[in-house]
């Protein structure tokens, strides 16, 4: 069967007992979280997605938090019939670890829903609002063909309309917005000249989409690339005029599973749930053949042969992901030295040993080896994608490690890159210099772990790192990375409050807010920004609203250095006390006792949420922290 993205071929086939499983969930809703996520990762049509959503809603009504899924409330406002696809959204979102609640506006009530604080969507206080608008829902005026002035005026009118909607939503509910690019209609007025003639459907859509990206940057919101999604299946497939005329469905009903998958992966990326590590098998995945049997000369990879080139393309995909910061690791049943030989000696290999952060080649089962990889990298299993040509190995790993993403793969290796990349595991909402350096930073962490294993004590190890910690307030250049950390950090995160980049920028400019970013470098390299603090000042009291730290630097006393900096800054501002809060989540028990360990006094305990107080003058700093400290001014990055 030919590859078709609309079939979501990376997902497992739907089990024959699908409805029986859903019925079982309904009977035991408090035990359904992991099981629902597993079933959501099957190739479900719109009806089956809606049925699984019903199970999610029953579990929610019965008080289940569907752990380990993260709660998220989405408002949906559109000019089409949203009720034909909205019921599929929560089930699709479960694939990405989201417990999604959807609140729909009434049909074609866009301005009313956006600007009325008491509207259905705004009253629900959603985390985000999806503006599901196509060209028929935007106020484009008449444009004469060839008139660039009229085209620009029409597009600006549509952008101003969206700006009005955005202002209403922000004022009424505080939610951020997900805009949609326009998928041009397939009908052509000028044929091949459509792109060059102002006023054509293709030209106006292209200009609008460029301006929409500008609007999203201006407002601190996000864009769902519907134009790209429609192009991937074909505009004639996407646009069904019969279904629009009869049901006001803005795209073909058969594409509902694909559309809701893309909405869900974008929300997951916003919430920091994108995967960040690609674990690869070797034999018949990165090359054709078995290196242990066929030898270095017997494996196929390189130019001049269709199969060899297909495996080269898989390596190219991995190398491209590595270049944007995705960590690469190897998990193979093989002898270590034999498995390493192609990376070191084969002339046509694109991937080399220096690209791989962790190399696990032995005869232990792959699930155990992947757990070891996660431990070495200090990342969660839910951050990993495992690619293996062997269906037996894939299923065994899925059963043992349900948090992993394990895509189904086609038999033809030429289709593997498209399958993996189409799955949306590595969806991103920002790309920064920090992201580009991430893979190198994790390789450096492996070197640090090797050094630690050779040190006589943890104190000797930390001193040998020659660490320099640099403190600065939030800066405009670093806002994307700071926002990314806020939205994806779970373990060392005392309150797990999430913010958009626009909100972070506003906080950084507020005179009542103290912000701090910490950057760490050592003998192995620069770790980038590794800690973020946001504090509200009320009189002579500081209230820590956010304090988080990257898991990459756990165990290095960074939290001690950050608290020392906070106390020092508080004294400079004549602040008398610092208040801290701990809001428990399934993932942040690591910091449950942080304030107690630093000498804060417990002020309040409400069902696990604790509030703590520290007298600034009574704080005794710890001696001999293993850091050199640098202070940056407000103009420094």
């Amino acid at each position: 069967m030919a590859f078709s993205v609309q079939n979501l071929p990376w997902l497992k086939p739907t089990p024959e007992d699908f409805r029986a499983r859903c019925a079982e969930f309904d009977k035991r809703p408090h035990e359904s979280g992991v099981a629902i996520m597993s079933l959501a990762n099957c190739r479900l049509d719109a009806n089956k997605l809606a049925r699984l959503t019903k199970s999610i809603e029953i579990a929610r009504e019965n008080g289940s938090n569907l752990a380990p899924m993260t709660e998220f409330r989405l408002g949906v406002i559109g000019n089409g019939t949203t009720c034909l696809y909205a019921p599929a959204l929560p089930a699709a979102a479960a694939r990405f670890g989201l417990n999604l609640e959807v609140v729909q506006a009434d049909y074609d009530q866009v301005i009313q829903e956006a600007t009325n604080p008491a509207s259905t969507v705004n009253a629900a206080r959603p985390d985000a609002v999806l503006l599901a608008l196509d060209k028929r829902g935007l106020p484009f005026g008449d444009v004469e063909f060839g008139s660039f002035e009229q085209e620009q005026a029409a597009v600006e009118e549509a952008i101003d309309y969206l700006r009005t909607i955005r202002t209403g939503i922000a004022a009424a509910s505080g939610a951020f917005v997900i805009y949609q690019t326009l998928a041009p209609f397939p009908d052509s007025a000028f044929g091949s000249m459509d792109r060059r003639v102002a006023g054509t459907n293709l030209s106006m859509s292209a200009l609008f989409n460029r301006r929409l990206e500008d609007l999203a940057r201006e407002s601190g919101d996000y864009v769902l690339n519907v134009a790209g999604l429609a192009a991937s299946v074909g505009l004639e497939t996407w646009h069904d005029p019969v279904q629009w005329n009869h049901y006001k469905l803005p795209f073909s009903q058969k594409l509902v599973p694909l559309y809701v998958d893309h909405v869900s992966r974008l929300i997951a990326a916003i919430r920091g749930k994108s995967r960040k590590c690609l674990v690869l098998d070797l034999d018949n995945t990165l090359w054709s053949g078995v290196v242990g049997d066929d030898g270095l000369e017997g494996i196929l990879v390189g130019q001049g042969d269709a199969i060899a080139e297909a495996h080269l393309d898989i390596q190219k995909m991995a190398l491209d992901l590595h270049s944007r910061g995705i960590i690469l690791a190897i998990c193979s049943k093989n002898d270590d030295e034999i498995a390493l030989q192609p990376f070191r000696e084969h002339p046509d290999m694109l991937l080399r040993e220096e690209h791989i952060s962790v190399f696990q080649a032995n005869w232990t089962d792959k699930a155990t080896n992947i757990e070891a990889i996660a431990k070495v990298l200090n990342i969660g299993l839910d951050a990993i994608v495992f690619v293996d040509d062997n269906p037996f190995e894939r299923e065994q790993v899925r059963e043992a490690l349900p948090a992993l993403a394990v895509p189904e793969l086609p038999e033809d290796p030429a289709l593997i890159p498209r399958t993996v990349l189409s799955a949306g595991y590595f969806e991103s909402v920002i790309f920064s210099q920090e992201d580009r350096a991430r893979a190198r930073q994790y390789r450096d962490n492996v070197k640090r772990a090797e050094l630690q294993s050779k040190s006589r004590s943890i104190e000797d190890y930390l001193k040998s790192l020659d660490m320099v910690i640099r403190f600065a307030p939030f800066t405009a250049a670093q806002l994307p990375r700071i926002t990314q950390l806020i939205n994806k950090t779970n373990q060392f995160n005392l309150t797990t409050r999430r913010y958009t980049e626009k909100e972070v920028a506003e906080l950084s400019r507020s005179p009542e807010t103290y912000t701090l970013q910490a950057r760490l470098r050592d003998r192995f390299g620069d770790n980038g920004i590794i800690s973020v603090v946001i504090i509200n000042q009320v009189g002579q009291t500081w209230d820590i609203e956010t304090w988080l730290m990257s898991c990459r630097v756990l165990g290095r006393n960074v939290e001690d250095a950050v608290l020392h900096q906070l106390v020092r800054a508080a004294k400079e501002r004549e602040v008398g006390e610092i208040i801290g809060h701990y809001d428990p989540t399934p993932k942040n028990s690591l910091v449950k006792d942080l304030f107690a360990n630093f000498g804060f006094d417990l002020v309040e305990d409400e069902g696990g949420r604790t509030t703590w107080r520290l007298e600034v003058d009574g704080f005794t700093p710890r001696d001999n922290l293993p850091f050199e400290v640098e202070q940056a001014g407000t103009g420094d990055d």
Side-chain angles (χ1 to χ4, degrees), residues 249-270:
L249 188 62
F251 55 87
S252 173
Q253 176 73 13
K254 65 185 176 183
L255 298 174
V256 166
L258 181 64
Y259 174 77
V260 296
D261 191 85
H262 277 253
V263 173
S264 300
R265 65 177 67 170
L266 178 60
I267 296 171
I270 293 168

Side-chain angles (χ1 to χ4, degrees), residues 508-526:
S508 68
R509 291 192 294 266
S510 170
E512 288 81 32
T513 304
Y514 173 82
T515 63
L516 183 72
Q517 57 169 306
R519 190 178 194 100
L520 184 68
R521 66 179 187 271
D522 59 34
R523 60 186 283 194
F524 291 106
D526 190 346

